[in-house]
């Protein structure tokens, strides 16, 4: 398992470091190592199994009442990146997700990915494109429930989550075809 980048942000938006690192790890993907093909999307010219990777996190900041999760490709040639997964209202008691997890079974809200389907949408950069960086982020939130519904865009949910997060843990893994 790999250590990941972490930040603990105070509600005022100032960054502080805590003695316990809020960290995100995975048994399926590793920081800086190519994502296995099983996590590739099945469609758009890709032929993976479209499974979400196993994820686990530890040492969430004090005051965490729920989590949000995003998977984002800033290198997608769309002009605005590509949202592969957006979910919020994950209970604070949850600290891991199994491979292929259905977050709605935990009471969380999953949004449509940029593929147009709800839940995880696997990696699928254009064939022959440069390496893409996939940013899996768990956000610690100071509220039990976000006042958003399942019809909002991932960008709006991302804006809301970033504006209130008290911490985040990030795992970045590359992929290309």
């Amino acid at each position: 398992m790999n250590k990941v980048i972490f930040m603990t942000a105070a509600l005022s938006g100032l960054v502080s470091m805590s003695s316990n690192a809020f960290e995100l790890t995975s048994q399926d993907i590793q920081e800086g190592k190519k994502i296995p093909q099983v996590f590739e999307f099945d469609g758009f010219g890709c032929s993976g199994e479209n499974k979400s990777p196993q994820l686990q996190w530890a040492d969430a900041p004090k005051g965490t009442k729920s989590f949000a999760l995003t998977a984002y490709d800033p290198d997608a040639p769309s002009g605005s990146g590509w949202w592969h997964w957006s979910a919020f209202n994950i209970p604070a008691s949850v600290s891991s997700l199994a491979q292929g997890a259905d977050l709605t079974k935990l009471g969380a809200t999953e949004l449509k990915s940029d593929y147009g389907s709800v839940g995880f949408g696997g990696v699928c950069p254009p064939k022959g494109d440069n390496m893409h960086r996939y940013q899996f982020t768990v956000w610690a939130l100071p509220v039990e429930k976000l006042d958003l519904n399942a019809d909002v865009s991932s960008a709006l949910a991302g804006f809301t989550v970033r504006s209130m997060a008290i911490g985040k843990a990030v795992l970045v893994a590359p992929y290309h075809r």
Side-chain angles (χ1 to χ4, degrees):
M1 292 193 214
N2 299 312
K3 298 264 181 190
V4 296
I5 302 167
F6 73 95
M7 289 177 45
T8 302
L11 288 176
S12 66
L14 299 174
V15 175
S16 65
M17 303 299 253
S18 68
S19 59
N20 292 328
F22 183 28
E23 61 182 346
L24 175 62
T25 57
S26 175
Q27 297 169 1
D28 294 331
I29 59 175
Q30 279 76 48
E31 181 80 22
K33 294 193 177 175
K34 187 177 178 186
I35 295 172
Q37 202 255 340
V38 68
F39 305 109
E40 187 179 88
F41 190 67
D42 185 15
F44 282 67
C46 290
S47 58
E49 294 181 31
N50 198 43
K51 289 185 177 182
S52 61
Q54 180 277 342
L55 298 170
Q56 60 207 35
W57 52 93
D59 296 320
K62 184 178 179 183
T64 300
K65 294 184 179 175
S66 71
F67 296 102
L69 172 68
T70 57
Y72 179 73
D73 173 7
D75 302 313
S78 66
S80 59
W82 195 269
W83 293 97
H84 289 267
W85 205 4
S86 295
F88 52 87
N89 298 338
I90 301 168
S93 60
V94 174
S95 61
S96 66
L97 301 172
Q99 186 181 99
D102 177 354
L103 301 185
T104 61
K105 290 181 180 178
L106 301 172
T109 300
E110 286 189 282
L111 302 179
K112 285 184 180 180
S113 71
D114 280 345
Y115 295 113
S117 56
V118 174
F120 180 75
V123 301
C124 184
K127 197 167 195 166
D129 210 7
N130 291 329
M131 187 73 72
H132 286 222
R133 298 164 292 154
Y134 294 86
Q135 302 168 344
F136 291 83
T137 307
V138 174
W139 303 85
L141 304 176
V143 296
E144 288 183 23
K145 298 280 184 188
L146 288 182
D147 189 21
L148 297 173
N149 64 44
D151 295 329
V152 301
S153 69
S154 292
L156 176 59
F159 174 83
T160 303
V161 165
R162 281 178 181 267
S163 73
M164 66 173 34
I166 57 175
K168 71 177 183 176
V170 183
L171 174 63
V172 181
Y175 193 75
H176 73 284
R177 299 188 304 137

